[in-house]
Amino acid sequence: MTDTALSGSSSGQKRRKLGGLLLIGPPLLYLLVFLVIPYGEIVVYSFWKADLYAIARDFNLGNYARIIENPLYRQVIWNSLSTAGLVTVFSLLVGYPLAFYLAFVATRHRQLLYFLIVIPLLTSFLLRAYTWKIILGRSGLVNSTLQALGLTDAPVDIFLYNQFSVVLTLVYIFVPFVTLPIYASLEKLSRDQLEASLDLGARPLTTFLRIILPLSTPGIVAGCTFAFALSFGDFVAPTLLGGPNQIMIANVIISQFGTAFDWPFGSALAIVVLLIVLGVVTIGSRIERR
Amino acid sequence: MAFQIKTLSPRPGAGEDLHRGGAVRLERVTKTFGDFTAVDDLSFDIEAGEFLTLLGSSGCGKTTTLRMIGGFELPDSGQVILDGERQHGTPPYRRPVNTVFQSYALFPHMSVAANVAYGLTLRKVKRPEIKRRVNAMLDRVGLLDKADHRPDNLSGGQRQRVALARALVNEPRVLLLDEPLGALDAKLRREMQLELKQIQTSLGITFVYVTHDQEEALVMSDRIAVMNSGRIQQLGTPSDIFEKPRNRFVAEFIGTENFLSVAEGVPGGVRLAEGSALQVAHEAGKVDTVAIRPQNIRLADPDPSDATNTVAGHLQDIVYVGTSTRLIVQLQNDETLTADIAPRLLAERPEPLKVGAAVRLELPPEALLCFSNDGQTT
């Protein structure tokens, strides 16, 4: 019995190993082709140098030095940071109450509301950004309403091509990304837990601060990470709705890979974006773990 | 037992142990949800320091009653009065009552100690005092060594104790318990029943306990209110409820299985629809149904000549249930009787009973309960 059992187990082990490889293989291959190779290429490019119409393959740190030394790029990074920060804050301010309403107040129309929040995600990002261009434009909804009410005589230009219009559009786009994870964590709270808090002497506001808010932190962190990371690297909204001062880092990167034909410098900028976003994600996961 | 609750005697110097409970009064309370009347014109008193159980099946209004005392539901009409004070509109966080929830409802982001301390921190009790009282309470429920654990890492029984400690540490006037033992296994549940009763006796806090388990109610309560369709069917001591059920519903709920229809009253007793005449101990007025518990039926001599208070029938089934053997007997009018007979008595018989055999069952007069169709005992 021992002999056959031993040989059986060793062949079984081999089979199990093969099965494991089959399971882990496809995702590994996917990661290799779509993550490791492209990012590796960008890292390598970022240490090369553009030489007129060719790329010189000699290692140098010039691209990174340019980002640090040139105040223009610092300004662009700061623009991106402040836009992403504002988008995150306002998405949270809109998304949290929405998620709260969905989880605790809306009972009869919860399905419908949920659907209404999700449905914009099914339409094109570009289309949704364009919509705001129309709403905020000279002959858009806002201006025509103001004129109809007699509040202004002529179309006002203050709504478009500034940080306001960029942030507004991005908030509109990212509110579902913030609402859904918060809703998911609020939904896990039981009525009993809230009632237990009230029962033990906590007023509703205290219950919110000490029970609801801490227990929805994972959702807040996830939602804010989405909003920050995605809006930090966005180029559609600043292109369509931003003014000359609202250039964000993604716009610069695109121009480096396009008209400027400076792939190494574009790669270096992309690496900087990657590091900043990774930093934010790390901070987020720290907060979540606590 | 790994975690024994220490409640047998109040320790010297522990002043809160002598704290007394509050009285609860419900005055004509009604609560409806849409078309459904959960609680229907309910009035009763719960005395200070009493252990009162609301017993009934799901949907009978017992939990809604508890939630109205706790302040989670507002009565449509009527009053909930705690210690002489009307509570209408008083939110839960201002009522001197605490609740142990069926789901325990512990806060998963806090340690066991923080869960227990929650109520005290809200009442601005000083820190050393909080620490002292939390530790004393955790010690009492045998969870002092788990103080820094998260609730998720505890067993069901331990979580139940944390929920209990979290409520009791606030020294409520009244403790509301909503099927707190429902999620525990049978053995742990029986242990906890006794421990809860000990805690209640030693602290003197009024307990209002909701359950659908009649045995649990009988073991723990000073008084039981049997509820059905939002009304109290009977309110009395466990022995009242068990021995003198007021109507057929209560009798059925508390485990009386045999109901026989009555044809007519005769002097000193009744004649059953199946023909036999039975003497009853406390007969008065009109009787439509007599009832008897399976445990009170005896196996009689098959010879009808010297038989009083017996009915004859055929043995339909024999079921072994451990402590007794259950005989299902079909009477002549197709009604059935279930009789629990001690296995020892069956073993003494010269020949074993077989399905289909003719048997005679004795229904002792003092064990017979009489009900009339208008729902009242006679």
Side-chain angles (χ1 to χ4, degrees):
Chain A
M1 185 227 157
T2 47
D3 271 68
T4 52
L6 278 177
S7 70
S9 89
S10 86
S11 85
Q13 243 167 21
K14 254 184 219 161
R15 215 176 301 142
R16 215 176 308 153
K17 236 180 208 171
L18 190 70
L21 275 177
L22 275 174
L23 273 178
I24 205 169
L28 267 184
L29 193 71
Y30 177 90
L31 287 178
L32 190 72
V33 172
F34 293 105
L35 199 79
V36 177
I37 294 175
Y39 276 91
E41 208 178 343
I42 288 175
V43 170
V44 172
Y45 263 93
S46 75
F47 293 110
W48 286 346
K49 195 163 72 178
D51 195 3
L52 214 52
Y53 297 114
I55 287 160
R57 302 185 169 193
D58 44 356
F59 180 87
N60 71 93
L61 293 167
N63 296 322
Y64 291 100
R66 216 166 125 200
I67 297 170
I68 294 165
E69 280 161 12
N70 192 332
L72 184 69
Y73 298 117
R74 287 208 303 265
Q75 180 61 40
V76 167
I77 290 173
W78 171 246
N79 263 352
S80 304
L81 277 173
S82 75
T83 301
L86 287 170
V87 168
T88 307
V89 169
F90 285 107
S91 298
L92 185 63
L93 288 180
V94 176
Y96 199 99
L98 195 58
F100 190 92
Y101 184 86
L102 203 59
F104 297 122
V105 187
T107 43
R108 282 172 58 193
H109 303 298
R110 182 175 297 154
Q111 292 289 332
L112 179 70
L113 267 173
Y114 191 87
F115 188 62
L116 287 177
I117 291 170
V118 171
I119 207 163
L121 298 177
L122 304 176
T123 54
S124 153
F125 187 106
L126 199 64
L127 195 73
R128 282 179 286 152
Y130 255 116
T131 312
W132 279 104
K133 198 173 171 135
I134 294 165
I135 294 171
L136 299 172
R138 301 203 89 212
S139 54
L141 188 68
V142 177
N143 266 317
S144 52
T145 308
L146 285 177
Q147 278 176 282
L149 289 172
L151 292 170
T152 53
D153 298 329
V156 184
D157 285 329
I158 55 164
F159 302 117
L160 256 184
Y161 309 122
N162 50 31
Q163 197 174 27
F164 165 78
S165 55
V166 174
V167 170
L168 178 70
T169 304
L170 289 174
V171 166
Y172 164 71
I173 287 167
F174 291 123
V175 156
F177 289 86
V178 178
T179 306
L180 295 182
I182 295 174
Y183 171 68
S185 58
L186 287 177
E187 208 193 10
K188 276 188 237 150
L189 277 164
S190 69
R191 183 186 73 169
D192 283 358
Q193 280 169 330
L194 305 185
E195 287 186 349
S197 173
L198 296 174
D199 183 73
L200 291 163
R203 291 154 169 278
L205 182 65
T206 314
T207 299
F208 176 75
L209 292 175
R210 293 190 54 175
I211 307 296
I212 300 175
L213 199 57
L215 287 175
S216 56
T217 305
I220 296 174
V221 169
C224 287
T225 308
F226 277 137
F228 187 89
L230 293 176
S231 54
F232 186 74
D234 186 63
F235 66 92
V236 172
T239 307
L240 291 179
L241 300 117
N245 296 327
Q246 270 67 54
I247 293 173
M248 282 169 66
I249 193 148
N251 303 96
V252 179
I253 294 172
I254 285 177
S255 68
Q256 296 307 314
F257 280 92
T259 46
F261 195 70
D262 193 345
W263 289 22
F265 185 61
S267 299
L269 283 170
I271 294 299
V272 170
V273 170
L274 184 69
L275 290 176
I276 290 172
V277 169
L278 280 179
V280 169
V281 172
T282 312
I283 293 168
S285 66
R286 286 264 167 81
I287 295 172
E288 200 181 344
R289 229 176 293 148
R290 259 199 299 142
Chain B
M1 196 60 225
F3 29 81
Q4 193 71 39
I5 290 188
K6 297 165 186 166
T7 51
L8 290 172
S9 60
R11 282 153 301 156
E16 70 267 22
D17 285 347
L18 302 169
H19 168 87
R20 299 296 303 176
V24 182
R25 159 174 286 187
L26 270 75
E27 271 180 11
R28 310 207 56 181
V29 171
T30 298
K31 177 74 187 174
T32 56
F33 298 104
D35 294 338
F36 177 69
T37 304
V39 172
D40 190 3
D41 196 17
L42 194 68
S43 300
F44 64 93
D45 271 300
I46 304 170
E47 286 162 29
E50 185 178 30
F51 194 128
L52 183 115
T53 298
L54 299 173
L55 176 65
S57 45
S58 61
C60 75
K62 56 192 194 300
T63 296
T64 305
T65 306
L66 198 76
R67 289 174 59 78
M68 286 192 287
I69 300 173
F72 300 115
E73 304 284 356
L74 269 184
D76 296 337
S77 62
Q79 287 290 338
V80 173
I81 299 163
L82 289 172
D83 281 334
E85 278 182 44
R86 294 180 164 219
Q87 298 292 317
H88 197 83
T90 309
Y93 49 90
R94 290 215 191 88
R95 296 193 184 201
V97 304
N98 285 122
T99 308
V100 177
F101 292 86
Q102 183 173 13
S103 65
Y104 313 144
L106 300 178
F107 305 131
H109 60 301
M110 298 181 190
S111 68
V112 166
N115 263 282
V116 176
Y118 189 76
L120 296 177
T121 58
L122 293 166
R123 286 195 282 153
K124 311 230 162 32
V125 179
K126 290 215 171 66
R127 256 171 207 224
E129 166 84 356
I130 292 179
K131 200 169 160 48
R132 189 183 65 75
R133 279 167 67 177
V134 167
N135 283 343
M137 190 49 73
L138 283 175
D139 188 31
R140 173 163 238 159
V141 299
L143 287 175
L144 199 51
D145 57 326
K146 305 276 187 210
D148 298 326
H149 286 52
R150 290 287 167 105
D152 286 351
N153 300 329
L154 302 182
S155 71
Q158 290 169 334
R159 278 184 226 177
Q160 209 283 324
R161 283 152 202 271
V162 177
L164 188 65
R166 186 179 68 176
L168 281 175
V169 79
N170 301 295
E171 297 169 6
R173 307 280 292 148
V174 179
L175 187 71
L176 309 174
L177 302 102
D178 186 5
E179 308 221 14
L181 308 182
L184 304 182
D185 62 66
K187 182 171 173 285
L188 195 54
R189 190 186 307 187
R190 274 196 289 276
E191 285 166 4
M192 282 302 296
Q193 286 169 7
L194 297 177
E195 285 167 7
L196 274 176
K197 180 66 190 164
Q198 284 172 353
I199 288 180
Q200 192 267 334
T201 316
S202 73
L203 293 184
I205 295 176
T206 310
F207 272 35
V208 185
Y209 191 99
V210 159
T211 185
H212 62 269
D213 183 334
Q214 47 115 347
E215 187 196 308
E216 199 162 285
L218 293 172
V219 168
M220 304 168 78
S221 317
D222 293 324
R223 285 194 302 158
I224 299 172
V226 182
M227 289 185 71
N228 185 36
S229 315
R231 290 168 176 273
I232 289 184
Q233 298 296 317
Q234 186 172 1
L235 178 59
T237 62
S239 66
D240 272 349
I241 302 276
F242 191 79
E243 284 156 27
K244 285 175 261 169
R246 247 184 75 206
N247 56 34
R248 182 168 172 158
F249 178 85
V250 176
E252 254 174 300
F253 202 86
I254 216 80
T256 304
E257 288 174 39
N258 297 308
F259 293 88
L260 299 173
S261 36
V262 167
E264 56 177 344
V266 295
V270 293
R271 182 173 302 283
L272 295 179
E274 63 88 57
S276 315
L278 294 179
Q279 288 179 1
V280 294
H282 315 283
E283 182 250 357
K286 189 167 143 19
V287 179
D288 296 305
T289 312
V290 291
I292 188 164
R293 284 171 188 283
Q295 301 80 358
N296 293 338
I297 298 179
R298 286 177 225 153
L299 204 54
D301 213 313
D303 179 15
S305 63
D306 63 337
T308 56
N309 265 41
T310 61
V311 290
H314 286 89
L315 193 56
Q316 205 176 49
D317 209 351
I318 306 179
V319 186
Y320 180 69
V321 288
T323 50
S324 64
T325 300
R326 182 158 292 177
L327 307 181
I328 318 287
V329 174
Q330 187 169 28
L331 304 182
Q332 272 134 15
N333 64 341
D334 279 357
E335 287 182 320
T336 57
L337 272 182
T338 303
D340 285 353
I341 308 293
R344 180 178 51 83
L345 292 175
L346 288 178
E348 283 169 6
R349 291 173 68 91
E351 54 193 89
L353 274 177
K354 286 201 181 107
V355 171
V359 287
R360 189 164 274 281
L361 297 174
E362 185 188 347
L363 315 178
E366 67 278 5
L368 283 170
L369 303 164
C370 301
F371 303 107
S372 68
N373 281 348
D374 55 27
Q376 300 301 308
T377 356
T378 53

